[in-house]
Amino acid sequence: LVSRITHANATGKCNSQESAFRKALQGHTYDTFKVNSLHVCVKRCDKEEKCQSINFVIDESICELNKQSKEARPDNYVTDPRRIYMTVKFGKGGCFKSIVILKSWSFDCMYMCISRKCNGQIFFFCAADTWPSGTYGLPRSKTGCPQPPHGSEWETGWRLQDTEDSSNKNRFSDSFHLDAVVLDSHVNRSFCIKHVHKVGTGAKPWPLGQYCIYKKGTCPVGLSEGFIQWDDEDISNNNSNGGTLPDGIYDNATRISFCCQTDGNKSDPITLPVEKPFYLLAYGSSECQKVEGALGTEEYIQYDNEDSKNSDKWEGSHPFMKYSYLTKMRITYCYYRAA
């Protein structure tokens, strides 16, 4: 599979490029490092005078900078099922600083190609069309779970938490797209649980960054584990749940386990499928991890937990929360939709 890229450089002159899936240039790599996404690799090459092309290792998100190109060394241009090759001849300070997404569509392969416009020129960029490997969960949006093109790999569940009865201060943000009900008496929210370890040829590890997801089974490679425990209402507790839930304990209190990516920078966009809205949970601060091709919005639920002899608890790696007097727990949910 080959996607053609037209890119305008700083002088307005356009160069036509090709990114080739399952291809690589051998024997000319001078630098190798891990990145969040393919476009970060391309930008790095564009900044370095020595760099002529890149190989991108799909399943490990590794960038390889090459001092030659396939045009100059055709004998070293080989088939490699794990890599994407691209010749990079973009002008310094070019269009990658002002990218606008026009539309997107899917191929039945490992990547989704996105049409973009820059200085009046249209070019194509590629992002994952399948969710990373492993079993895990995401907060469910009002539009449902992010179903992949290869068939359903998500199950759903819900948890109703009976919150503090006296002068309850449950709250939610003005912008709110969670499949959830927040009332003075309780909070009822839904989950999307990915129960299939790997679907499609594009499955890969979670990229570097700072964000959390729900734990279901073993945390995906590179993510660390933790939990949050809500001390729900003690008197006449009406907690209930159904369907498939994240790992945790669901009785008169609620303990949910999380898997968090803590190695990376929130400002470096990560690559995830963006055709349908989805959620991550913020880690470290209320700021949301940037996602390539998506607009991110900070949203929250404030949980007013039990006032008397409260046993709220958290350990390990867990989503960012603000915790105030009389056990008001505010958790940030990051909502993403295609830009």
Side-chain angles (χ1 to χ4, degrees), residues 162-265:
D162 186 352
T163 52
E164 172 59 36
D165 289 340
S166 177
S167 302
N168 185 280
K169 292 182 174 59
N170 289 342
R171 300 287 186 270
F172 59 94
S173 53
D174 291 336
S175 173
F176 195 72
H177 298 85
L178 280 166
D179 182 19
V181 175
V182 181
L183 301 175
D184 287 344
S185 58
H186 66 268
V187 174
N188 188 353
R189 65 197 189 282
S190 300
F191 310 94
C192 295
I193 305 298
K194 183 174 175 289
H195 63 96
V196 178
H197 180 71
K198 181 177 180 180
V199 172
T201 56
K204 58 187 246 180
W206 280 90
L208 296 177
Q210 293 189 30
Y211 53 86
C212 294
I213 56 178
Y214 294 118
K215 181 176 180 289
K216 189 64 176 179
T218 303
C219 280
V221 174
L223 276 63
S224 53
E225 181 180 346
F227 71 82
I228 295 176
Q229 176 174 296
W230 291 255
D231 184 2
D232 302 322
E233 173 60 34
D234 288 343
I235 301 173
S236 300
N237 182 282
N238 291 313
N239 282 356
S240 57
N241 51 264
T244 305
L245 300 175
D247 288 354
I249 300 173
Y250 301 92
D251 48 27
N252 285 353
T254 302
R255 177 183 290 196
I256 297 180
S257 297
F258 299 91
C259 300
C260 298
Q261 176 60 272
T262 63
D263 296 326
N265 192 322

Side-chain angles (χ1 to χ4, degrees), residues 14-249:
C14 295
N15 300 304
S16 180
Q17 304 295 332
E18 288 185 350
S19 62
F21 295 91
R22 304 181 182 93
K23 289 288 187 178
L25 188 69
Q26 286 187 341
H28 300 285
T29 298
Y30 70 88
D31 196 5
T32 300
F33 48 90
K34 202 167 181 66
V35 292
N36 288 338
S37 62
L38 173 62
H39 95 280
V40 174
C41 185
V42 175
K43 286 173 68 176
R44 176 71 174 269
C45 182
D46 187 38
K47 291 179 180 179
E48 298 197 13
E49 194 70 32
K50 186 177 181 180
C51 187
Q52 297 295 309
S53 67
I54 61 106
N55 301 321
F56 181 74
V57 185
I58 298 166
D59 56 352
E60 298 182 62
S61 293
I62 290 176
C63 178
E64 299 174 342
L65 302 183
N66 301 323
K67 58 187 177 182
Q68 295 289 347
S69 67
K70 70 179 179 67
E71 290 79 10
R73 295 289 187 269
D75 292 343
N76 301 128
Y77 186 56
V78 299
T79 297
D80 188 328
R82 296 181 59 217
R83 284 171 167 79
I84 296 172
Y85 169 85
M86 184 184 293
T87 300
V88 180
K89 296 179 180 177
F90 306 150
K92 301 298 180 183
C95 296
F96 273 104
K97 293 183 179 179
S98 57
I99 290 174
V100 178
I101 292 181
L102 300 180
K103 61 182 179 179
S104 64
W105 66 95
S106 292
F107 291 100
D108 185 20
C109 65
M110 66 189 70
Y111 278 80
M112 171 180 68
C113 289
I114 301 171
S115 172
R116 297 186 172 182
K117 192 171 184 179
C118 177
N119 293 346
Q121 300 296 324
I122 294 177
F123 67 98
F124 298 105
F125 197 81
C126 294
D129 79 336
T130 56
W131 283 86
S133 300
T135 56
Y136 47 82
L138 303 176
R140 190 176 190 269
S141 75
K142 292 177 181 177
T143 58
C145 295
Q147 301 290 356
H150 303 284
S152 177
E153 57 184 17
W154 301 90
E155 294 178 345
T156 61
W158 57 273
R159 172 63 168 176
L160 184 150
Q161 290 175 239
D162 186 352
T163 52
E164 172 59 36
D165 289 340
S166 177
S167 302
N168 185 280
K169 292 182 174 59
N170 289 342
R171 300 287 186 270
F172 59 94
S173 53
D174 291 336
S175 173
F176 195 72
H177 298 85
L178 280 166
D179 182 19
V181 175
V182 181
L183 301 175
D184 287 344
S185 58
H186 66 268
V187 174
N188 188 353
R189 65 197 189 282
S190 300
F191 310 94
C192 295
I193 305 298
K194 183 174 175 289
H195 63 96
V196 178
H197 180 71
K198 181 177 180 180
V199 172
T201 56
K204 58 187 246 180
W206 280 90
L208 296 177
Q210 293 189 30
Y211 53 86
C212 294
I213 56 178
Y214 294 118
K215 181 176 180 289
K216 189 64 176 179
T218 303
C219 280
V221 174
L223 276 63
S224 53
E225 181 180 346
F227 71 82
I228 295 176
Q229 176 174 296
W230 291 255
D231 184 2
D232 302 322
E233 173 60 34
D234 288 343
I235 301 173
S236 300
N237 182 282
N238 291 313
N239 282 356
S240 57
N241 51 264
T244 305
L245 300 175
D247 288 354
I249 300 173

Side-chain angles (χ1 to χ4, degrees), residues 287-339:
E287 180 185 1
C288 291
Q289 169 69 48
K290 292 189 181 302
V291 174
E292 173 67 22
L295 298 176
T297 304
E298 295 177 23
E299 301 182 351
Y300 69 81
I301 295 178
Q302 178 173 292
Y303 302 82
D304 188 350
N305 302 332
E306 174 61 40
D307 287 346
S308 177
K309 298 180 181 179
N310 180 275
S311 61
D312 288 343
K313 186 178 181 181
W314 50 90
E315 288 184 4
S317 298
H318 57 76
F320 173 77
M321 64 179 175
K322 292 182 178 179
Y323 198 84
S324 62
Y325 179 66
L326 285 181
T327 63
K328 311 301 185 293
M329 182 187 290
R330 178 177 292 192
I331 295 179
T332 301
Y333 300 84
C334 296
Y335 174 69
Y336 298 95
R337 61 181 179 84

